[in-house]
Amino acid sequence: INAEYGVGIHNKLNPMEEEQKYIKFKDRPQFSDVTPILQNDGPSPVCPIAYSEQFSDTMNYFRAMLHNDERSERALIVTTEAIYLNPANYTAWYFRRLVLANINADYHKELQFITEMAEDNPKNYQIWHHRHVVIEILNDPTQELPFTEKILSEDAKNYHAWSHRQWVIRTFGLWDNELDFCERLITEDVRNNSAWNQRYFVVSRGGLTDQVIQREIEYTKEKILKAPNNESPWNYLLGLVKGRRLAEFPSIHQFCEETLKSWPTCCHAYATLIDVLEETDDQAKIQLAMKHCDSLISGVDDVHKKYWIWRKSQLQQKL
């Protein structure tokens, strides 16, 4: 980070070293005319927070900049240091955006700053929102897919990274290679429910045609067989046909029965089969669905035992 972004920022020092090297704002010539505004906790605070000297000093000057609405280069330095000390400081990020706009800042440099902050704080909402705003201003998504891929390689379930990635893809039309990206993640970890969710985001964008549904059913069946008790692909399978009758896709019924022959304790196969059978008014099929409920109640799915008792009672009403 360049000097104008702050003194001692992102130097990866330990806290003791940071305190030793920190230069107080009153000792910096460019801040000599600024009167800091101290935190006012009232005359008798019950439990005052033991802020570090660096934190108190930074926030005192940040409050001064905010009070004076000073949107200058030196205000940018103060917001940088305030954010470094507390990356979740929403007010510091908001004021920073006002400052950036006023000084005609280099937003590519700002993107570099956000990247460094996000790598250390990958689940910080304020950082991701700020990145969103900066990308809108730059109108350049070039770095975003590689960046989110890097973040997701460290935590495949990072909601902020997935949300940002979806926004970028949708906003800038970057759909072409996303299905391949999802395929790679699912191949690496078939239980990656976030990757399954992203796959649905991609395949459903233009509407789920029968051709797409059939293709995805076959793909999902293949992945289920690698880990039949993995809930993610079963949910994906039901999502594909949501709003349609399962009877329109007989291969699902057949697949559930075949799966239970090899994995008789696969609760997801039972649950999907019950959904299939419940669509009909055929008494024999309703009774078979109730029998499957009994299997789930009797040990196959103890966690949801009460739910299956309720489902069986609902089926009973159809007889």
Side-chain angles (χ1 to χ4, degrees), residues 61-102:
Y61 277 80
F62 174 71
R63 279 187 287 271
M65 293 291 164
L66 192 62
H67 177 75
N68 297 328
D69 194 22
E70 181 179 323
R71 307 181 187 186
S72 63
E73 293 282 354
R74 68 179 184 177
L76 186 65
I77 293 175
V78 177
T79 64
T80 301
E81 300 198 27
I83 287 167
Y84 173 62
L85 292 168
N86 178 12
N89 187 332
Y90 173 85
T91 305
W93 284 108
Y94 171 73
F95 187 59
R96 184 181 184 84
R97 285 192 287 277
L98 298 181
V99 172
L100 290 167
N102 190 65

Side-chain angles (χ1 to χ4, degrees), residues 39-45:
Q39 179 165 314
N40 183 1
D41 288 330
S44 303

Side-chain angles (χ1 to χ4, degrees), residues 147-166:
F147 174 69
T148 53
E149 181 175 350
K150 179 182 178 181
I151 295 296
L152 291 168
S153 69
E154 297 171 359
D155 180 0
K157 299 183 185 299
N158 187 321
Y159 170 81
H160 302 289
W162 281 116
S163 180
H164 184 75
R165 188 178 182 91
Q166 288 191 359

Side-chain angles (χ1 to χ4, degrees), residues 123-164:
K123 291 188 175 181
N124 182 299
Y125 169 79
Q126 285 76 19
I127 293 175
W128 286 100
H129 176 67
H130 190 70
R131 190 178 188 96
H132 180 128
V133 173
V134 169
I135 294 302
E136 283 186 318
I137 292 170
L138 289 172
N139 195 32
D140 178 8
T142 307
Q143 299 183 36
E144 298 316 284
L145 296 188
F147 174 69
T148 53
E149 181 175 350
K150 179 182 178 181
I151 295 296
L152 291 168
S153 69
E154 297 171 359
D155 180 0
K157 299 183 185 299
N158 187 321
Y159 170 81
H160 302 289
W162 281 116
S163 180
H164 184 75

Side-chain angles (χ1 to χ4, degrees), residues 127-265:
I127 293 175
W128 286 100
H129 176 67
H130 190 70
R131 190 178 188 96
H132 180 128
V133 173
V134 169
I135 294 302
E136 283 186 318
I137 292 170
L138 289 172
N139 195 32
D140 178 8
T142 307
Q143 299 183 36
E144 298 316 284
L145 296 188
F147 174 69
T148 53
E149 181 175 350
K150 179 182 178 181
I151 295 296
L152 291 168
S153 69
E154 297 171 359
D155 180 0
K157 299 183 185 299
N158 187 321
Y159 170 81
H160 302 289
W162 281 116
S163 180
H164 184 75
R165 188 178 182 91
Q166 288 191 359
W167 171 76
V168 169
I169 290 171
R170 189 168 49 243
T171 301
F172 297 97
L174 304 179
W175 300 95
D176 289 351
N177 300 312
E178 193 63 11
L179 203 58
D180 291 338
F181 175 66
C182 296
E183 167 62 15
R184 178 156 51 84
L185 292 185
I186 291 171
T187 298
E188 291 172 359
D189 178 11
V190 74
R191 293 176 174 83
N192 186 339
N193 57 296
S194 297
W196 282 103
N197 180 73
Q198 184 72 355
R199 186 179 182 93
Y200 186 83
F201 168 73
V202 176
V203 301
S204 63
R205 71 183 178 98
L208 288 167
T209 65
D210 285 352
Q211 182 180 6
V212 170
I213 292 174
Q214 290 293 353
R215 181 197 72 199
E216 291 300 300
I217 286 175
E218 294 307 311
Y219 172 84
T220 308
K221 285 159 58 177
E222 176 188 335
K223 298 302 181 184
I224 286 174
L225 293 177
K226 294 182 181 297
N229 288 315
N230 171 26
E231 188 175 3
S232 297
W234 287 102
N235 286 338
Y236 182 79
L237 187 66
L238 293 176
L240 291 171
V241 298
K242 186 177 180 179
R244 306 277 295 270
R245 288 176 59 82
L246 286 164
E248 296 178 47
F249 307 96
S251 64
I252 294 178
H253 186 165
Q254 181 181 358
F255 176 72
C256 290
E257 291 183 333
E258 291 173 352
T259 300
L260 287 171
K261 289 178 182 177
S262 301
W263 291 277
T265 59

